[in-house]
Structure formats: C-alpha cells, structure tokens
Amino acid sequence: MSLASVTRGAGPDLVMIPGWGMHAGVFAGLADSLSSRFRVTCVDLPGHGNSAGVAWPDDVGSVADLLLAAAPPRAAWLGWSLGGLAAIAASAREADRIDRLVLLAATPRFTATGDWLCAMSADELAGFAERFERHPERTLQRFQALQFSRDVDSGRGLRRLRALLGDGEIAVPALAAALRVLLEADMRAALAACGRPVCALLGGDDPLIPACVSSALSQLLPRIRIERIEGAGHAPFITHEEVVAATIADMLQEPAAPEREE
C-alpha cells in the first residue's frame, strides 16, 4: 500500500511529514499559510492518519522509501519530530530529490548517549513506550499535552491540536514500532553527510528537546541555520503559526551557501 497525502497550493514543491502519533491534518493551518508560495504535500507516516492501513516497516530507511514514493520528484522537505528523522533518512536514500531540509522541533537522535547529551534519556523514552503498549489511548492523550510549554497558551494549543487531529483510530502496532525508531535511530552521520542546505526551527521552551541541542547541531553541521521561537513548545506551528510560517518561507527561499572549499 502507498502512503496517503494531501497537496495544496502552487509553486516550488514542499513535502511536510508529521510526527509520532499525529497525522497530516495537524499541518492544515501551516500548509494553508505556505500554499500561497509553495505547492505543499503533507504525507501521513505508516500507521498514522489515512495511512493507518500501512504497516510500519522494520527500519527508518524503509519508511523513507515509502515517503519518497509518495513525494514529488524533487522538493524541499520539512519533518516535524519523528518526521524529521524520516526526512533525514530520505535525504540519505535519494539526495538528488531533496533540495533542502527543514527540521521542525526535530533532531537526528532523540535519546541521549555519551557523545549526544541533548536529548531524552533512553530509559525515559522506553518507559513511555511501555506505557503506550499498556494504555495506548491514555498515553497518546498525555503525549499530546506534552507538545506545549507551560505558558498561558498551552491549553489553547492543546485544544487546537486535538481539533485538528479529530477522532481517528489508533494503529497501536505501528505506533509502537515507530517508538522504537525514536528510541534507536541515530541519523547524525546521515545529517552531517547530507550535502543539502539544512535548517532547524526549534521551540525555545520545548519539553521534549533540550535547549542545548542548538549547539550540538551546530557542531555536527556548522553550516546549519537554526532559529528558535521563544515561548514555543514542541509544536510551535500550533501556538505560533504565523511566525513559524514566515520563518519557514524565509528558510526555503534563502539561497544555498556556496560549497565549502577543501
């Protein structure tokens, strides 16, 4: 089976990939804002949204292959959270099809290790995966609340997110398999070797990605452009939609820097 997608707008192609436990509908407002300048294709991950009938593959590279099959021949790619890992994997598979990457509240590794400390602990994420397998709906609702910082807009952001998501069914096996990617995937080498312009747009108060990831990303990829939205959590496009849309549009239209001389 192929992955479901929705396309709107006209202009240079932009592929947008949502995060774990979400579907492409979460991008409705952001895609509408960008569709005046770009042809935006939002693709559901396997086991998510209208791709619920597609089994989650064994590895993130195979997820990337499914996304590439659903994407335009050449485009800029934006990945939110888990979608960012998938976008990096796609660039490693077929770099010529990807003009640039935008990592939206995303990082090449979501669990901490000795040389990558700006991430969640593996034990914390493993505990979350265990809770999801026991109580999937309750855990998913809790995860939705974790998308937002503890500011005055958190309640409004959560209501907006849940309105966009609706009452779709949960493909528990696929989401459990996708959690293993968040636990195990390490796309740092692939990101460093990407060879395409890379930008990162981060929430300044993201409860899931520590602030120190900015310096870690800069060390990994010195040419990366990083922007932070202060007061925003893990879903900045929900609470700060206009700022996010304007920043992404600027990132996508920024000329690529000249290649580094050896």
Side-chain angles (χ1 to χ4, degrees), residues 62-80:
S62 297
V63 175
D65 290 339
L66 289 171
L67 290 167
L68 286 161
R74 183 154 186 148
W77 282 50
L78 178 150
W80 172 41

PDB file of all heavy atoms in Angstrom, residues 62-80:
ATOM      1  N   SER A  62      13.413   2.127   5.274  1.00  0.00           N
ATOM      2  CA  SER A  62      12.243   1.659   4.526  1.00  0.00           C
ATOM      3  C   SER A  62      11.079   2.639   4.659  1.00  0.00           C
ATOM      4  O   SER A  62      10.269   2.795   3.734  1.00  0.00           O
ATOM      5  CB  SER A  62      11.824   0.273   5.016  1.00  0.00           C
ATOM      6  OG  SER A  62      12.857  -0.668   4.763  1.00  0.00           O
ATOM      7  N   VAL A  63      10.973   3.305   5.811  1.00  0.00           N
ATOM      8  CA  VAL A  63       9.982   4.379   5.958  1.00  0.00           C
ATOM      9  C   VAL A  63      10.289   5.485   4.954  1.00  0.00           C
ATOM     10  O   VAL A  63       9.389   6.009   4.281  1.00  0.00           O
ATOM     11  CB  VAL A  63       9.990   4.934   7.401  1.00  0.00           C
ATOM     12  CG1 VAL A  63       9.048   6.132   7.516  1.00  0.00           C
ATOM     13  CG2 VAL A  63       9.591   3.863   8.400  1.00  0.00           C
ATOM     14  N   ALA A  64      11.554   5.833   4.834  1.00  0.00           N
ATOM     15  CA  ALA A  64      11.958   6.861   3.871  1.00  0.00           C
ATOM     16  C   ALA A  64      11.587   6.467   2.447  1.00  0.00           C
ATOM     17  O   ALA A  64      11.138   7.306   1.658  1.00  0.00           O
ATOM     18  CB  ALA A  64      13.462   7.107   3.977  1.00  0.00           C
ATOM     19  N   ASP A  65      11.758   5.196   2.098  1.00  0.00           N
ATOM     20  CA  ASP A  65      11.399   4.742   0.750  1.00  0.00           C
ATOM     21  C   ASP A  65       9.908   4.949   0.479  1.00  0.00           C
ATOM     22  O   ASP A  65       9.518   5.361  -0.621  1.00  0.00           O
ATOM     23  CB  ASP A  65      11.765   3.268   0.586  1.00  0.00           C
ATOM     24  CG  ASP A  65      13.271   3.040   0.529  1.00  0.00           C
ATOM     25  OD1 ASP A  65      14.009   3.995   0.214  1.00  0.00           O
ATOM     26  OD2 ASP A  65      13.698   1.903   0.810  1.00  0.00           O
ATOM     27  N   LEU A  66       9.069   4.649   1.470  1.00  0.00           N
ATOM     28  CA  LEU A  66       7.628   4.866   1.309  1.00  0.00           C
ATOM     29  C   LEU A  66       7.317   6.346   1.125  1.00  0.00           C
ATOM     30  O   LEU A  66       6.474   6.726   0.295  1.00  0.00           O
ATOM     31  CB  LEU A  66       6.882   4.317   2.520  1.00  0.00           C
ATOM     32  CG  LEU A  66       6.812   2.794   2.665  1.00  0.00           C
ATOM     33  CD1 LEU A  66       6.233   2.412   4.024  1.00  0.00           C
ATOM     34  CD2 LEU A  66       5.971   2.179   1.545  1.00  0.00           C
ATOM     35  N   LEU A  67       7.974   7.184   1.888  1.00  0.00           N
ATOM     36  CA  LEU A  67       7.748   8.621   1.757  1.00  0.00           C
ATOM     37  C   LEU A  67       8.217   9.139   0.400  1.00  0.00           C
ATOM     38  O   LEU A  67       7.539   9.955  -0.236  1.00  0.00           O
ATOM     39  CB  LEU A  67       8.483   9.360   2.879  1.00  0.00           C
ATOM     40  CG  LEU A  67       7.910   9.179   4.287  1.00  0.00           C
ATOM     41  CD1 LEU A  67       8.903   9.682   5.331  1.00  0.00           C
ATOM     42  CD2 LEU A  67       6.575   9.903   4.437  1.00  0.00           C
ATOM     43  N   LEU A  68       9.358   8.677  -0.051  1.00  0.00           N
ATOM     44  CA  LEU A  68       9.866   9.096  -1.355  1.00  0.00           C
ATOM     45  C   LEU A  68       8.912   8.695  -2.471  1.00  0.00           C
ATOM     46  O   LEU A  68       8.725   9.432  -3.444  1.00  0.00           O
ATOM     47  CB  LEU A  68      11.253   8.500  -1.589  1.00  0.00           C
ATOM     48  CG  LEU A  68      12.392   9.146  -0.793  1.00  0.00           C
ATOM     49  CD1 LEU A  68      13.601   8.231  -0.714  1.00  0.00           C
ATOM     50  CD2 LEU A  68      12.775  10.496  -1.406  1.00  0.00           C
ATOM     51  N   ALA A  69       8.288   7.530  -2.330  1.00  0.00           N
ATOM     52  CA  ALA A  69       7.330   7.077  -3.346  1.00  0.00           C
ATOM     53  C   ALA A  69       6.091   7.955  -3.386  1.00  0.00           C
ATOM     54  O   ALA A  69       5.430   8.061  -4.434  1.00  0.00           O
ATOM     55  CB  ALA A  69       6.935   5.626  -3.075  1.00  0.00           C
ATOM     56  N   ALA A  70       5.755   8.592  -2.263  1.00  0.00           N
ATOM     57  CA  ALA A  70       4.559   9.438  -2.203  1.00  0.00           C
ATOM     58  C   ALA A  70       4.865  10.903  -2.479  1.00  0.00           C
ATOM     59  O   ALA A  70       3.940  11.708  -2.619  1.00  0.00           O
ATOM     60  CB  ALA A  70       3.913   9.305  -0.816  1.00  0.00           C
ATOM     61  N   ALA A  71       6.141  11.261  -2.567  1.00  0.00           N
ATOM     62  CA  ALA A  71       6.549  12.659  -2.678  1.00  0.00           C
ATOM     63  C   ALA A  71       6.743  13.071  -4.131  1.00  0.00           C
ATOM     64  O   ALA A  71       6.943  12.222  -5.011  1.00  0.00           O
ATOM     65  CB  ALA A  71       7.846  12.869  -1.897  1.00  0.00           C
ATOM     66  N   PRO A  72       6.714  14.374  -4.412  1.00  0.00           N
ATOM     67  CA  PRO A  72       7.056  14.870  -5.745  1.00  0.00           C
ATOM     68  C   PRO A  72       8.492  14.488  -6.110  1.00  0.00           C
ATOM     69  O   PRO A  72       9.304  14.177  -5.220  1.00  0.00           O
ATOM     70  CB  PRO A  72       6.909  16.388  -5.608  1.00  0.00           C
ATOM     71  CG  PRO A  72       6.068  16.607  -4.402  1.00  0.00           C
ATOM     72  CD  PRO A  72       6.348  15.458  -3.485  1.00  0.00           C
ATOM     73  N   PRO A  73       8.826  14.512  -7.407  1.00  0.00           N
ATOM     74  CA  PRO A  73      10.168  14.094  -7.840  1.00  0.00           C
ATOM     75  C   PRO A  73      11.296  14.885  -7.206  1.00  0.00           C
ATOM     76  O   PRO A  73      12.384  14.354  -6.975  1.00  0.00           O
ATOM     77  CB  PRO A  73      10.138  14.315  -9.361  1.00  0.00           C
ATOM     78  CG  PRO A  73       8.699  14.296  -9.720  1.00  0.00           C
ATOM     79  CD  PRO A  73       7.965  14.858  -8.558  1.00  0.00           C
ATOM     80  N   ARG A  74      11.040  16.156  -6.939  1.00  0.00           N
ATOM     81  CA  ARG A  74      12.065  16.992  -6.290  1.00  0.00           C
ATOM     82  C   ARG A  74      11.351  18.024  -5.436  1.00  0.00           C
ATOM     83  O   ARG A  74      10.379  18.636  -5.872  1.00  0.00           O
ATOM     84  CB  ARG A  74      12.956  17.658  -7.325  1.00  0.00           C
ATOM     85  CG  ARG A  74      14.071  18.471  -6.685  1.00  0.00           C
ATOM     86  CD  ARG A  74      15.261  18.603  -7.580  1.00  0.00           C
ATOM     87  NE  ARG A  74      16.358  19.264  -6.860  1.00  0.00           N
ATOM     88  CZ  ARG A  74      17.617  19.022  -7.081  1.00  0.00           C
ATOM     89  NH1 ARG A  74      17.967  18.113  -7.974  1.00  0.00           N
ATOM     90  NH2 ARG A  74      18.560  19.664  -6.428  1.00  0.00           N
ATOM     91  N   ALA A  75      11.836  18.241  -4.222  1.00  0.00           N
ATOM     92  CA  ALA A  75      11.153  19.149  -3.309  1.00  0.00           C
ATOM     93  C   ALA A  75      12.054  19.492  -2.140  1.00  0.00           C
ATOM     94  O   ALA A  75      13.064  18.826  -1.883  1.00  0.00           O
ATOM     95  CB  ALA A  75       9.867  18.492  -2.779  1.00  0.00           C
ATOM     96  N   ALA A  76      11.685  20.543  -1.430  1.00  0.00           N
ATOM     97  CA  ALA A  76      12.210  20.763  -0.087  1.00  0.00           C
ATOM     98  C   ALA A  76      11.405  19.885   0.856  1.00  0.00           C
ATOM     99  O   ALA A  76      10.221  19.636   0.636  1.00  0.00           O
ATOM    100  CB  ALA A  76      12.059  22.231   0.293  1.00  0.00           C
ATOM    101  N   TRP A  77      12.052  19.391   1.898  1.00  0.00           N
ATOM    102  CA  TRP A  77      11.382  18.501   2.858  1.00  0.00           C
ATOM    103  C   TRP A  77      11.425  19.118   4.246  1.00  0.00           C
ATOM    104  O   TRP A  77      12.479  19.573   4.706  1.00  0.00           O
ATOM    105  CB  TRP A  77      12.066  17.135   2.896  1.00  0.00           C
ATOM    106  CG  TRP A  77      11.717  16.245   1.741  1.00  0.00           C
ATOM    107  CD1 TRP A  77      11.745  16.554   0.416  1.00  0.00           C
ATOM    108  CD2 TRP A  77      11.309  14.874   1.806  1.00  0.00           C
ATOM    109  NE1 TRP A  77      11.390  15.471  -0.349  1.00  0.00           N
ATOM    110  CE2 TRP A  77      11.114  14.431   0.486  1.00  0.00           C
ATOM    111  CE3 TRP A  77      11.104  13.982   2.858  1.00  0.00           C
ATOM    112  CZ2 TRP A  77      10.708  13.130   0.192  1.00  0.00           C
ATOM    113  CZ3 TRP A  77      10.703  12.689   2.574  1.00  0.00           C
ATOM    114  CH2 TRP A  77      10.508  12.272   1.252  1.00  0.00           C
ATOM    115  N   LEU A  78      10.280  19.112   4.906  1.00  0.00           N
ATOM    116  CA  LEU A  78      10.162  19.547   6.289  1.00  0.00           C
ATOM    117  C   LEU A  78       9.659  18.377   7.116  1.00  0.00           C
ATOM    118  O   LEU A  78       8.636  17.763   6.784  1.00  0.00           O
ATOM    119  CB  LEU A  78       9.200  20.734   6.394  1.00  0.00           C
ATOM    120  CG  LEU A  78       8.906  21.294   7.792  1.00  0.00           C
ATOM    121  CD1 LEU A  78       8.592  22.790   7.710  1.00  0.00           C
ATOM    122  CD2 LEU A  78       7.733  20.580   8.473  1.00  0.00           C
ATOM    123  N   GLY A  79      10.376  18.058   8.182  1.00  0.00           N
ATOM    124  CA  GLY A  79       9.954  16.972   9.056  1.00  0.00           C
ATOM    125  C   GLY A  79       9.813  17.454  10.483  1.00  0.00           C
ATOM    126  O   GLY A  79      10.721  18.101  11.016  1.00  0.00           O
ATOM    127  N   TRP A  80       8.658  17.176  11.066  1.00  0.00           N
ATOM    128  CA  TRP A  80       8.415  17.553  12.457  1.00  0.00           C
ATOM    129  C   TRP A  80       8.685  16.349  13.355  1.00  0.00           C
ATOM    130  O   TRP A  80       8.124  15.275  13.153  1.00  0.00           O
ATOM    131  CB  TRP A  80       6.960  18.023  12.610  1.00  0.00           C
ATOM    132  CG  TRP A  80       6.533  18.251  14.039  1.00  0.00           C
ATOM    133  CD1 TRP A  80       7.267  18.840  15.020  1.00  0.00           C
ATOM    134  CD2 TRP A  80       5.278  17.899  14.631  1.00  0.00           C
ATOM    135  NE1 TRP A  80       6.549  18.882  16.192  1.00  0.00           N
ATOM    136  CE2 TRP A  80       5.318  18.319  15.985  1.00  0.00           C
ATOM    137  CE3 TRP A  80       4.127  17.286  14.149  1.00  0.00           C
ATOM    138  CZ2 TRP A  80       4.255  18.126  16.859  1.00  0.00           C
ATOM    139  CZ3 TRP A  80       3.057  17.094  15.011  1.00  0.00           C
ATOM    140  CH2 TRP A  80       3.129  17.515  16.349  1.00  0.00           C
TER     141      TRP A  80
END
